[in-house]
Amino acid sequence: MSNASATHPTRRGILAAGGALGLGAVLAACGDDDGKSGGAGDGSDGAAESGPWTFKDDRGTTVKLDKVPANIVAFTGVAAALFDYGVEVKGVFGPTTTKDGKPDVQAGDLDVDKVTVLGNEWGKLNVEKYASLAPEVLITTTFDTAGTLWSVPEESKDKIAKLAPSVAISVFDRQLTQPLQRMWELAESLGADLKAKKVTDAKAAFDKAAARLRAAAKAKPEIRVLAGSASPDLFYVSGTNLSVDLEYFKALGVNFVEPSEDAKKATGGWFESLSWENVDKYPADVIIMDDRASTIQPADITEGTWKQLPAVKAGQVIARSPEPILSYDKCTPLLDNLAEAIENAKKVG
């Protein structure tokens, strides 16, 4: 990440708003890019076999191994998604536990005591500890067209790349259903039983929740939803064009507040930064707030201007997960919660 200037947001600001601007050059791809895949990991077969493993990721990189990897290291949110499909990892990097030792929101149902934490915040990964796990593959997401590996430190990416090949699932400029499907395929390649009742029930629940949100948005098209995030100095209003959750919710008919294109230019199109004095710039009936530990949560916002917002005064504020755990089980509540908020919302903005 380059040093912030007076005209650009800080890295904290970018992370707070769910962006991935300026996170450095793409990590050199491991494996070949012949575009051919087969065996256990081509994303089209059944459960993993005991023979060779191959998977083509969203960078177009095909990783090939002699067998299905067992020593997996993953970004915490990715590990949480794989866990929901029955695939366990050895190590994680990224926000995993809170200051009191409880699982971070991005850890989902992971048993955080049974994984090796290589770095407990974004952009931290202890190379020596990573090497000690004898990793066979590193799995994370990517938030840009370059395929930059999310939360892999720029200063040590080359050393990390030499220890094991990497797989990246893109969460950039597409609807949520696409990375959900890709994580499904990846889990299947790693041995997940996608016919298990728990898994099929989760998929059915997701589809039902999507229909509910579509119906709620159609019934109340006048309800305006603002996606926000809070830091000590700034309030961020996210646009819908690049984030997987917001793009999908918008496709289902949700009426979102959109920052001006000019205002978003300084952040690569992700969001607009507002001073707390100007937090009322965009009228909104429902506010969905970034739930990550790196941001200030609504109950802890002390700014008087925030407390005077009509949606806040009406109690029409809910959580949002800008980095959703990419399993159907974890994404279903995101749909249901927004649907419920719109169903019960009063026009106040």
Side-chain angles (χ1 to χ4, degrees), residues 175-243:
Q175 294 182 25
L176 179 61
T177 46
Q178 187 173 344
L180 273 172
Q181 177 62 28
R182 293 293 286 141
M183 191 64 72
W184 172 283
E185 294 168 358
L186 176 59
E188 182 179 41
S189 80
L190 294 169
D193 179 6
L194 299 185
K195 295 181 180 179
K197 188 176 187 302
K198 175 184 177 182
V199 176
T200 58
D201 285 353
K203 178 64 166 63
F206 177 88
D207 293 338
K208 183 179 179 180
R212 178 186 180 185
L213 180 54
R214 187 188 296 275
K218 184 177 181 179
K220 288 190 171 181
E222 73 280 6
I223 298 299
R224 302 188 73 203
V225 178
L226 182 148
S229 186
S231 75
D233 300 319
L234 295 170
F235 182 80
Y236 307 93
V237 179
S238 293
T240 63
N241 292 337
L242 301 178
S243 298

Side-chain angles (χ1 to χ4, degrees), residues 149-281:
L149 297 179
W150 185 243
S151 198
V152 170
E154 172 69 17
E155 64 274 12
S156 56
K157 67 175 186 178
D158 292 335
K159 292 181 180 179
I160 291 168
K162 292 177 181 178
L163 294 170
S166 58
V167 166
I169 300 298
S170 179
V171 286
F172 176 73
D173 195 18
R174 61 200 63 203
Q175 294 182 25
L176 179 61
T177 46
Q178 187 173 344
L180 273 172
Q181 177 62 28
R182 293 293 286 141
M183 191 64 72
W184 172 283
E185 294 168 358
L186 176 59
E188 182 179 41
S189 80
L190 294 169
D193 179 6
L194 299 185
K195 295 181 180 179
K197 188 176 187 302
K198 175 184 177 182
V199 176
T200 58
D201 285 353
K203 178 64 166 63
F206 177 88
D207 293 338
K208 183 179 179 180
R212 178 186 180 185
L213 180 54
R214 187 188 296 275
K218 184 177 181 179
K220 288 190 171 181
E222 73 280 6
I223 298 299
R224 302 188 73 203
V225 178
L226 182 148
S229 186
S231 75
D233 300 319
L234 295 170
F235 182 80
Y236 307 93
V237 179
S238 293
T240 63
N241 292 337
L242 301 178
S243 298
V244 292
D245 61 328
L246 301 185
E247 283 203 16
Y248 184 51
F249 300 158
K250 183 179 180 180
L252 292 175
V254 176
N255 179 14
F256 276 102
V257 169
E258 294 284 0
S260 69
E261 291 303 316
D262 287 342
K264 291 189 296 182
K265 284 182 180 178
T267 66
W270 285 95
F271 56 90
E272 178 178 357
S273 303
L274 298 175
S275 67
W276 283 104
E277 290 75 16
N278 295 315
V279 73
D280 61 350
K281 179 177 179 178

Side-chain angles (χ1 to χ4, degrees), residues 24-95:
V26 62
L27 179 63
C30 297
D32 60 60
D33 294 318
D34 60 9
K36 300 175 183 178
S37 59
D42 66 357
S44 61
D45 295 340
E49 302 170 1
S50 59
W53 181 80
T54 178
F55 189 85
K56 184 175 181 179
D57 75 359
D58 290 341
R59 299 169 299 174
T61 298
T62 300
V63 177
K64 296 180 179 180
L65 299 174
D66 292 337
K67 61 181 178 64
V68 176
N71 289 357
I72 301 169
V73 170
F75 178 72
T76 302
V78 171
L82 292 175
F83 182 85
D84 285 347
Y85 292 123
V87 178
E88 298 188 10
V89 307
K90 297 289 185 181
V92 296
F93 58 99

